[in-house]
Amino acid sequence: GPKRELVDMVAKNARQGLESIRFKLIRDDADQSGALEELKTQLNLKNVPARIEGYDISNLSGKMAVGSMVVFENGKPSPSRYRRFRIKAVEGPDDYGMLREVINRRFKHGDMLTSSEWGPLPDLVLIDGGKGQLGAVLGIISDEIAGRVAFMSLAKENEEIFVPGRNQPISLTKNNPALHLLQRVRDEAHRFAVSYHRNIRSKKSIESLLDEVEGIGPGRKKALIQHFGSLDNIRKASKEQIMQIKGINAELAKRIKERI
């Protein structure tokens, strides 16, 4: 009857939807394979870049500077391989110095071909920036790494590709799949760096305000940040919820709510 017809129609639609998804996955795999082959050709690489690492820096006039490392394997992001860096050795607005620190810290980790934490050496490293950023990084790379890893940079303004040993940048057409892949890596590295920087800024804001609350020491401040995560969450929390933190009584919770 009508109910059976309805079930049959739903089943048919589900089968068609599944086939559509399956076709898209097959097509996307083919697109990524084509993009990687195109990348090998355009950049004159020794091998198809199965593992690409993208790097970017985020800071506020040199303050609270961080770096990001994202990993694409076979053309697709691998978030479990991503790494974040707090800039430690560079002070002030020095993007070149910050990039050098991040790259140096990444490539000093022992035998990276077998490192479970850092994974194998990448086939290609993509730096967010232009010729200057690429040159800054190449200046600290050992001959061994330079012989095994290809380095390049992608400048945002005209989407120009800079590679070592070539004075003029490489310009690919806007619909080139290799360029699209590089843009995805670059944009993901930027997103990951900015999100980490925002997280640090948020925590610094919480710390600064909590420092002004009488009775809040390092231990309680740390507990509040770990429990609530953001300034907005503390503001939204009731006095009773704040009192759930060990060492915070009603009077202290009241002072926190008044200050925050």
Side-chain angles (χ1 to χ4, degrees):
K3 293 182 180 180
R4 173 59 185 269
E5 291 177 1
L6 180 61
V7 170
D8 288 343
M9 182 180 69
V10 171
K12 181 181 179 180
N13 289 340
R15 281 194 296 272
Q16 290 175 342
L18 179 61
E19 287 302 316
S20 177
I21 293 171
R22 185 178 293 131
F23 175 76
K24 184 179 184 301
L25 291 173
I26 293 172
R27 184 191 64 197
D28 287 350
D29 285 342
D31 286 348
Q32 296 306 326
S33 177
L36 292 170
E37 288 287 350
E38 179 71 7
L39 203 52
K40 175 180 181 294
T41 300
Q42 293 292 344
L43 301 186
N44 196 27
L45 303 177
K46 296 177 182 177
N47 303 301
V48 171
R51 178 178 169 119
I52 302 174
E53 292 181 1
Y55 293 86
D56 194 17
I57 298 295
S58 182
N59 65 93
L60 186 63
S61 299
K63 298 178 181 178
M64 294 178 279
V66 300
S68 67
M69 163 186 150
V70 300
V71 179
F72 277 56
E73 294 177 321
N74 297 316
K76 297 180 180 180
S78 296
S80 64
R81 299 287 196 180
Y82 290 9
R83 295 291 181 269
R84 302 181 301 186
F85 303 82
R86 286 292 299 269
I87 302 300
K88 301 175 181 178
V90 178
E91 295 182 2
D94 180 3
D95 284 356
Y96 289 3
M98 294 174 189
L99 272 173
R100 284 193 291 265
E101 178 179 333
V102 168
I103 294 295
N104 183 58
R105 285 165 62 184
R106 190 273 180 257
F107 285 99
K108 73 177 184 179
H109 286 275
D111 183 3
M112 288 164 290
L113 287 174
T114 58
S115 170
S116 59
E117 179 183 359
W118 290 88
L121 281 171
D123 300 295
L124 177 65
V125 164
L126 169 62
I127 304 297
D128 184 3
K131 191 174 183 178
Q133 282 81 359
L134 179 61
V137 166
L138 293 176
I140 62 159
I141 294 298
S142 67
D143 292 340
E144 179 189 4
I145 296 298
R148 297 164 67 183
V149 179
F151 286 79
M152 58 155 292
S153 63
L154 179 62
K156 287 188 181 73
E157 187 173 352
N158 297 312
E159 302 293 12
E160 293 176 326
I161 300 168
F162 293 88
V163 296
R166 180 168 175 161
N167 292 327
Q168 297 301 317
I170 299 171
S171 296
L172 302 179
T173 59
K174 291 183 179 180
N175 61 351
N176 190 295
L179 177 61
H180 292 169
L181 177 57
L182 292 178
Q183 288 169 330
R184 285 185 64 205
V185 177
R186 188 265 314 278
D187 293 347
E188 179 67 352
H190 180 71
R191 181 201 65 79
F192 194 51
V194 169
S195 65
Y196 184 36
H197 188 236
R198 285 174 179 163
N199 184 40
I200 290 175
R201 289 206 319 265
S202 176
K203 288 183 178 180
K204 286 292 183 182
S205 297
I206 298 173
E207 290 176 4
S208 297
L209 285 173
L210 290 177
D211 284 338
E212 299 175 8
V213 179
E214 183 182 354
I216 296 293
R220 289 170 181 166
K221 181 167 62 176
K222 182 179 179 181
L224 280 163
I225 293 171
Q226 288 181 340
H227 183 83
F228 291 103
S230 72
L231 198 59
D232 282 342
N233 287 340
I234 296 179
R235 285 173 175 154
K236 293 174 183 176
S238 65
K239 188 172 73 172
E240 289 71 24
Q241 288 173 319
I242 294 176
M243 287 172 59
Q244 293 176 6
I245 305 299
K246 185 178 179 180
I248 296 182
N249 57 26
E251 180 58 31
L252 187 50
K254 179 183 177 182
R255 287 203 294 269
I256 292 172
K257 290 293 292 180
E258 290 174 348
R259 184 63 191 87
I260 299 296

